[in-house]
Amino acid sequence: MHSLTEAFAFSAIVGQESMKQALLLNAVNHMVGGVLIRGEKGTAKSTAVRALAALLPQILVVEGCPFGCDPAAPAKLCPYCAQRLAKGEKLPNLLRKARVVDLPMGSTEDRLLSSLDSERAIKHGEKHFEPGILAEANRGVL
């Protein structure tokens, strides 16, 4: 079920023209590199981002990749996908909507960037990399 902010039309947001223009420019030109939105509570920040994300086209990703790698850009693959490709494995892909990932207040650096899975290391004696919030939001919206 969709929340009201996901169903709200981007064009229906009144005011906030600079914010809407920045979001649209970022959506059509990846060279912009991102938009940081800040403002008072109730100024439609989250509503605008979720409404725009609903308009974005589906993207092609490597199936099972925690970073949502683009299979059409082998030079930009994450270490996992690059290693699979180097072994001669065909990277399965799928189309999916660009993700909207929330950044929780008080997120720690290891949760944002990545960390080693200490529970797995203790229980099984294995090193396992746990991708962070940025990995989840890659090629989407944070």
mmCIF file of all heavy atoms in Angstrom, residues 24-59:
data_model
loop_
_atom_site.group_PDB
_atom_site.id
_atom_site.type_symbol
_atom_site.label_atom_id
_atom_site.label_comp_id
_atom_site.label_asym_id
_atom_site.label_seq_id
_atom_site.Cartn_x
_atom_site.Cartn_y
_atom_site.Cartn_z
ATOM 1 N N LEU A 24 14.566 18.107 -10.232
ATOM 2 C CA LEU A 24 14.392 17.759 -11.641
ATOM 3 C C LEU A 24 15.721 17.775 -12.391
ATOM 4 O O LEU A 24 16.008 16.873 -13.189
ATOM 5 C CB LEU A 24 13.399 18.720 -12.309
ATOM 6 C CG LEU A 24 11.938 18.533 -11.911
ATOM 7 C CD1 LEU A 24 11.090 19.690 -12.422
ATOM 8 C CD2 LEU A 24 11.408 17.207 -12.420
ATOM 9 N N LEU A 25 16.555 18.772 -12.136
ATOM 10 C CA LEU A 25 17.862 18.834 -12.788
ATOM 11 C C LEU A 25 18.718 17.627 -12.414
ATOM 12 O O LEU A 25 19.396 17.046 -13.261
ATOM 13 C CB LEU A 25 18.590 20.127 -12.415
ATOM 14 C CG LEU A 25 18.041 21.401 -13.053
ATOM 15 C CD1 LEU A 25 18.694 22.628 -12.429
ATOM 16 C CD2 LEU A 25 18.251 21.379 -14.556
ATOM 17 N N ASN A 26 18.670 17.254 -11.166
ATOM 18 C CA ASN A 26 19.437 16.086 -10.718
ATOM 19 C C ASN A 26 18.903 14.801 -11.353
ATOM 20 O O ASN A 26 19.666 13.897 -11.667
ATOM 21 C CB ASN A 26 19.406 15.985 -9.195
ATOM 22 C CG ASN A 26 20.404 14.986 -8.676
ATOM 23 O OD1 ASN A 26 21.600 15.168 -8.812
ATOM 24 N ND2 ASN A 26 19.903 13.916 -8.094
ATOM 25 N N ALA A 27 17.599 14.732 -11.550
ATOM 26 C CA ALA A 27 16.987 13.538 -12.140
ATOM 27 C C ALA A 27 17.367 13.357 -13.600
ATOM 28 O O ALA A 27 17.513 12.226 -14.066
ATOM 29 C CB ALA A 27 15.469 13.591 -11.998
ATOM 30 N N VAL A 28 17.545 14.449 -14.335
ATOM 31 C CA VAL A 28 17.831 14.334 -15.761
ATOM 32 C C VAL A 28 19.319 14.403 -16.089
ATOM 33 O O VAL A 28 19.715 14.027 -17.185
ATOM 34 C CB VAL A 28 17.068 15.389 -16.606
ATOM 35 C CG1 VAL A 28 15.574 15.193 -16.471
ATOM 36 C CG2 VAL A 28 17.478 16.800 -16.244
ATOM 37 N N ASN A 29 20.145 14.868 -15.156
ATOM 38 C CA ASN A 29 21.574 14.986 -15.431
ATOM 39 C C ASN A 29 22.373 14.473 -14.232
ATOM 40 O O ASN A 29 22.518 15.188 -13.240
ATOM 41 C CB ASN A 29 21.951 16.434 -15.743
ATOM 42 C CG ASN A 29 23.383 16.591 -16.189
ATOM 43 O OD1 ASN A 29 24.187 15.665 -16.083
ATOM 44 N ND2 ASN A 29 23.720 17.766 -16.675
ATOM 45 N N HIS A 30 22.910 13.268 -14.356
ATOM 46 C CA HIS A 30 23.658 12.671 -13.244
ATOM 47 C C HIS A 30 24.934 13.444 -12.912
ATOM 48 O O HIS A 30 25.510 13.272 -11.859
ATOM 49 C CB HIS A 30 23.983 11.206 -13.546
ATOM 50 C CG HIS A 30 25.050 11.036 -14.581
ATOM 51 N ND1 HIS A 30 24.781 11.089 -15.926
ATOM 52 C CD2 HIS A 30 26.379 10.845 -14.458
ATOM 53 C CE1 HIS A 30 25.904 10.932 -16.595
ATOM 54 N NE2 HIS A 30 26.889 10.787 -15.737
ATOM 55 N N MET A 31 25.379 14.319 -13.808
ATOM 56 C CA MET A 31 26.579 15.118 -13.558
ATOM 57 C C MET A 31 26.346 16.154 -12.451
ATOM 58 O O MET A 31 27.289 16.697 -11.902
ATOM 59 C CB MET A 31 27.046 15.813 -14.843
ATOM 60 C CG MET A 31 27.458 14.849 -15.951
ATOM 61 S SD MET A 31 28.869 13.832 -15.515
ATOM 62 C CE MET A 31 30.159 15.050 -15.630
ATOM 63 N N VAL A 32 25.090 16.443 -12.130
ATOM 64 C CA VAL A 32 24.793 17.369 -11.029
ATOM 65 C C VAL A 32 25.387 16.804 -9.743
ATOM 66 O O VAL A 32 25.924 17.530 -8.925
ATOM 67 C CB VAL A 32 23.270 17.611 -10.905
ATOM 68 C CG1 VAL A 32 22.939 18.395 -9.646
ATOM 69 C CG2 VAL A 32 22.756 18.338 -12.139
ATOM 70 N N GLY A 33 25.304 15.511 -9.567
ATOM 71 C CA GLY A 33 25.958 14.857 -8.439
ATOM 72 C C GLY A 33 25.150 14.783 -7.164
ATOM 73 O O GLY A 33 25.608 14.227 -6.177
ATOM 74 N N GLY A 34 23.969 15.319 -7.138
ATOM 75 C CA GLY A 34 23.131 15.205 -5.958
ATOM 76 C C GLY A 34 22.552 16.544 -5.542
ATOM 77 O O GLY A 34 23.000 17.603 -5.977
ATOM 78 N N VAL A 35 21.555 16.476 -4.699
ATOM 79 C CA VAL A 35 20.892 17.662 -4.170
ATOM 80 C C VAL A 35 20.686 17.431 -2.680
ATOM 81 O O VAL A 35 20.189 16.379 -2.281
ATOM 82 C CB VAL A 35 19.521 17.888 -4.849
ATOM 83 C CG1 VAL A 35 18.778 19.051 -4.208
ATOM 84 C CG2 VAL A 35 19.678 18.126 -6.332
ATOM 85 N N LEU A 36 21.081 18.394 -1.883
ATOM 86 C CA LEU A 36 20.827 18.336 -0.446
ATOM 87 C C LEU A 36 19.660 19.263 -0.157
ATOM 88 O O LEU A 36 19.713 20.453 -0.469
ATOM 89 C CB LEU A 36 22.062 18.778 0.350
ATOM 90 C CG LEU A 36 21.873 18.887 1.864
ATOM 91 C CD1 LEU A 36 21.562 17.515 2.463
ATOM 92 C CD2 LEU A 36 23.099 19.487 2.503
ATOM 93 N N ILE A 37 18.613 18.693 0.400
ATOM 94 C CA ILE A 37 17.416 19.482 0.712
ATOM 95 C C ILE A 37 17.332 19.623 2.221
ATOM 96 O O ILE A 37 17.388 18.633 2.946
ATOM 97 C CB ILE A 37 16.137 18.785 0.196
ATOM 98 C CG1 ILE A 37 16.222 18.587 -1.304
ATOM 99 C CG2 ILE A 37 14.911 19.598 0.574
ATOM 100 C CD1 ILE A 37 15.095 17.752 -1.848
ATOM 101 N N ARG A 38 17.184 20.839 2.661
ATOM 102 C CA ARG A 38 16.974 21.076 4.082
ATOM 103 C C ARG A 38 15.967 22.194 4.242
ATOM 104 O O ARG A 38 15.814 23.037 3.366
ATOM 105 C CB ARG A 38 18.272 21.383 4.810
ATOM 106 C CG ARG A 38 19.062 22.509 4.219
ATOM 107 C CD ARG A 38 20.288 22.781 5.014
ATOM 108 N NE ARG A 38 20.102 24.114 5.571
ATOM 109 C CZ ARG A 38 21.026 24.816 6.153
ATOM 110 N NH1 ARG A 38 22.214 24.315 6.298
ATOM 111 N NH2 ARG A 38 20.790 26.010 6.601
ATOM 112 N N GLY A 39 15.275 22.153 5.348
ATOM 113 C CA GLY A 39 14.266 23.176 5.582
ATOM 114 C C GLY A 39 13.451 22.836 6.814
ATOM 115 O O GLY A 39 13.646 21.794 7.442
ATOM 116 N N GLU A 40 12.571 23.721 7.133
ATOM 117 C CA GLU A 40 11.714 23.555 8.298
ATOM 118 C C GLU A 40 10.765 22.368 8.108
ATOM 119 O O GLU A 40 10.456 21.984 6.980
ATOM 120 C CB GLU A 40 10.885 24.827 8.533
ATOM 121 C CG GLU A 40 11.703 26.068 8.823
ATOM 122 C CD GLU A 40 12.469 25.968 10.126
ATOM 123 O OE1 GLU A 40 11.914 25.454 11.116
ATOM 124 O OE2 GLU A 40 13.642 26.394 10.141
ATOM 125 N N LYS A 41 10.302 21.840 9.211
ATOM 126 C CA LYS A 41 9.326 20.759 9.183
ATOM 127 C C LYS A 41 8.065 21.257 8.472
ATOM 128 O O LYS A 41 7.633 22.393 8.665
ATOM 129 C CB LYS A 41 9.003 20.334 10.619
ATOM 130 C CG LYS A 41 8.080 19.165 10.714
ATOM 131 C CD LYS A 41 7.880 18.735 12.154
ATOM 132 C CE LYS A 41 6.971 17.530 12.194
ATOM 133 N NZ LYS A 41 6.820 17.006 13.543
ATOM 134 N N GLY A 42 7.511 20.397 7.602
ATOM 135 C CA GLY A 42 6.272 20.746 6.916
ATOM 136 C C GLY A 42 6.461 21.494 5.614
ATOM 137 O O GLY A 42 5.504 22.057 5.080
ATOM 138 N N THR A 43 7.684 21.523 5.078
ATOM 139 C CA THR A 43 7.921 22.259 3.831
ATOM 140 C C THR A 43 7.961 21.332 2.616
ATOM 141 O O THR A 43 8.501 21.700 1.580
ATOM 142 C CB THR A 43 9.215 23.096 3.916
ATOM 143 O OG1 THR A 43 10.301 22.244 4.298
ATOM 144 C CG2 THR A 43 9.069 24.225 4.912
ATOM 145 N N ALA A 44 7.422 20.143 2.721
ATOM 146 C CA ALA A 44 7.234 19.194 1.617
ATOM 147 C C ALA A 44 8.532 18.592 1.087
ATOM 148 O O ALA A 44 8.592 18.152 -0.056
ATOM 149 C CB ALA A 44 6.443 19.837 0.478
ATOM 150 N N LYS A 45 9.559 18.542 1.914
ATOM 151 C CA LYS A 45 10.838 17.964 1.468
ATOM 152 C C LYS A 45 10.674 16.493 1.106
ATOM 153 O O LYS A 45 10.971 16.086 -0.021
ATOM 154 C CB LYS A 45 11.907 18.119 2.562
ATOM 155 C CG LYS A 45 12.209 19.556 2.940
ATOM 156 C CD LYS A 45 13.193 19.655 4.079
ATOM 157 C CE LYS A 45 12.771 18.987 5.353
ATOM 158 N NZ LYS A 45 11.659 19.574 6.070
ATOM 159 N N SER A 46 10.218 15.702 2.034
ATOM 160 C CA SER A 46 10.051 14.266 1.784
ATOM 161 C C SER A 46 8.986 14.005 0.735
ATOM 162 O O SER A 46 9.133 13.113 -0.098
ATOM 163 C CB SER A 46 9.674 13.538 3.077
ATOM 164 O OG SER A 46 10.735 13.627 4.002
ATOM 165 N N THR A 47 7.926 14.770 0.770
ATOM 166 C CA THR A 47 6.852 14.605 -0.205
ATOM 167 C C THR A 47 7.382 14.832 -1.614
ATOM 168 O O THR A 47 7.097 14.057 -2.536
ATOM 169 C CB THR A 47 5.694 15.583 0.087
ATOM 170 O OG1 THR A 47 5.214 15.319 1.410
ATOM 171 C CG2 THR A 47 4.571 15.436 -0.918
ATOM 172 N N ALA A 48 8.182 15.858 -1.801
ATOM 173 C CA ALA A 48 8.726 16.169 -3.126
ATOM 174 C C ALA A 48 9.656 15.063 -3.608
ATOM 175 O O ALA A 48 9.578 14.643 -4.768
ATOM 176 C CB ALA A 48 9.478 17.504 -3.084
ATOM 177 N N VAL A 49 10.510 14.581 -2.737
ATOM 178 C CA VAL A 49 11.460 13.535 -3.126
ATOM 179 C C VAL A 49 10.727 12.253 -3.495
ATOM 180 O O VAL A 49 11.004 11.640 -4.528
ATOM 181 C CB VAL A 49 12.478 13.277 -1.998
ATOM 182 C CG1 VAL A 49 13.290 12.027 -2.253
ATOM 183 C CG2 VAL A 49 13.389 14.486 -1.834
ATOM 184 N N ARG A 50 9.772 11.835 -2.684
ATOM 185 C CA ARG A 50 9.035 10.608 -2.969
ATOM 186 C C ARG A 50 8.160 10.749 -4.208
ATOM 187 O O ARG A 50 8.021 9.806 -4.993
ATOM 188 C CB ARG A 50 8.214 10.189 -1.757
ATOM 189 C CG ARG A 50 9.101 9.764 -0.604
ATOM 190 C CD ARG A 50 8.310 9.221 0.562
ATOM 191 N NE ARG A 50 9.156 9.007 1.711
ATOM 192 C CZ ARG A 50 10.099 8.079 1.823
ATOM 193 N NH1 ARG A 50 10.313 7.265 0.830
ATOM 194 N NH2 ARG A 50 10.826 7.965 2.917
ATOM 195 N N ALA A 51 7.585 11.918 -4.397
ATOM 196 C CA ALA A 51 6.749 12.142 -5.585
ATOM 197 C C ALA A 51 7.609 12.114 -6.851
ATOM 198 O O ALA A 51 7.199 11.555 -7.870
ATOM 199 C CB ALA A 51 6.013 13.471 -5.457
ATOM 200 N N LEU A 52 8.796 12.701 -6.802
ATOM 201 C CA LEU A 52 9.678 12.665 -7.961
ATOM 202 C C LEU A 52 10.153 11.244 -8.228
ATOM 203 O O LEU A 52 10.193 10.796 -9.371
ATOM 204 C CB LEU A 52 10.877 13.588 -7.769
ATOM 205 C CG LEU A 52 11.880 13.560 -8.918
ATOM 206 C CD1 LEU A 52 11.262 14.129 -10.187
ATOM 207 C CD2 LEU A 52 13.144 14.290 -8.560
ATOM 208 N N ALA A 53 10.518 10.521 -7.170
ATOM 209 C CA ALA A 53 11.006 9.143 -7.338
ATOM 210 C C ALA A 53 9.964 8.270 -8.020
ATOM 211 O O ALA A 53 10.308 7.381 -8.800
ATOM 212 C CB ALA A 53 11.390 8.551 -5.983
ATOM 213 N N ALA A 54 8.697 8.538 -7.773
ATOM 214 C CA ALA A 54 7.631 7.767 -8.411
ATOM 215 C C ALA A 54 7.593 8.013 -9.923
ATOM 216 O O ALA A 54 7.095 7.180 -10.670
ATOM 217 C CB ALA A 54 6.284 8.118 -7.788
ATOM 218 N N LEU A 55 8.154 9.130 -10.371
ATOM 219 C CA LEU A 55 8.168 9.460 -11.797
ATOM 220 C C LEU A 55 9.391 8.907 -12.521
ATOM 221 O O LEU A 55 9.410 8.863 -13.747
ATOM 222 C CB LEU A 55 8.158 10.984 -11.985
ATOM 223 C CG LEU A 55 6.962 11.734 -11.420
ATOM 224 C CD1 LEU A 55 7.175 13.235 -11.576
ATOM 225 C CD2 LEU A 55 5.681 11.304 -12.114
ATOM 226 N N LEU A 56 10.404 8.531 -11.771
ATOM 227 C CA LEU A 56 11.643 8.079 -12.393
ATOM 228 C C LEU A 56 11.437 6.749 -13.117
ATOM 229 O O LEU A 56 10.659 5.901 -12.664
ATOM 230 C CB LEU A 56 12.745 7.923 -11.330
ATOM 231 C CG LEU A 56 13.180 9.201 -10.629
ATOM 232 C CD1 LEU A 56 14.187 8.880 -9.521
ATOM 233 C CD2 LEU A 56 13.757 10.194 -11.613
ATOM 234 N N PRO A 57 12.141 6.568 -14.234
ATOM 235 C CA PRO A 57 12.002 5.299 -14.961
ATOM 236 C C PRO A 57 12.671 4.159 -14.206
ATOM 237 O O PRO A 57 13.501 4.384 -13.317
ATOM 238 C CB PRO A 57 12.734 5.577 -16.280
ATOM 239 C CG PRO A 57 13.728 6.626 -15.937
ATOM 240 C CD PRO A 57 13.089 7.475 -14.868
ATOM 241 N N GLN A 58 12.324 2.952 -14.570
ATOM 242 C CA GLN A 58 12.981 1.793 -13.980
ATOM 243 C C GLN A 58 14.432 1.772 -14.439
ATOM 244 O O GLN A 58 14.770 2.317 -15.489
ATOM 245 C CB GLN A 58 12.284 0.509 -14.414
ATOM 246 C CG GLN A 58 10.911 0.344 -13.822
ATOM 247 C CD GLN A 58 10.338 -1.027 -14.135
ATOM 248 O OE1 GLN A 58 10.628 -1.628 -15.153
ATOM 249 N NE2 GLN A 58 9.508 -1.517 -13.236
ATOM 250 N N ILE A 59 15.291 1.162 -13.621
ATOM 251 C CA ILE A 59 16.702 1.055 -13.971
ATOM 252 C C ILE A 59 17.095 -0.411 -14.071
ATOM 253 O O ILE A 59 16.511 -1.267 -13.408
ATOM 254 C CB ILE A 59 17.607 1.786 -12.948
ATOM 255 C CG1 ILE A 59 17.419 1.224 -11.531
ATOM 256 C CG2 ILE A 59 17.372 3.285 -12.979
ATOM 257 C CD1 ILE A 59 18.391 1.762 -10.505
#
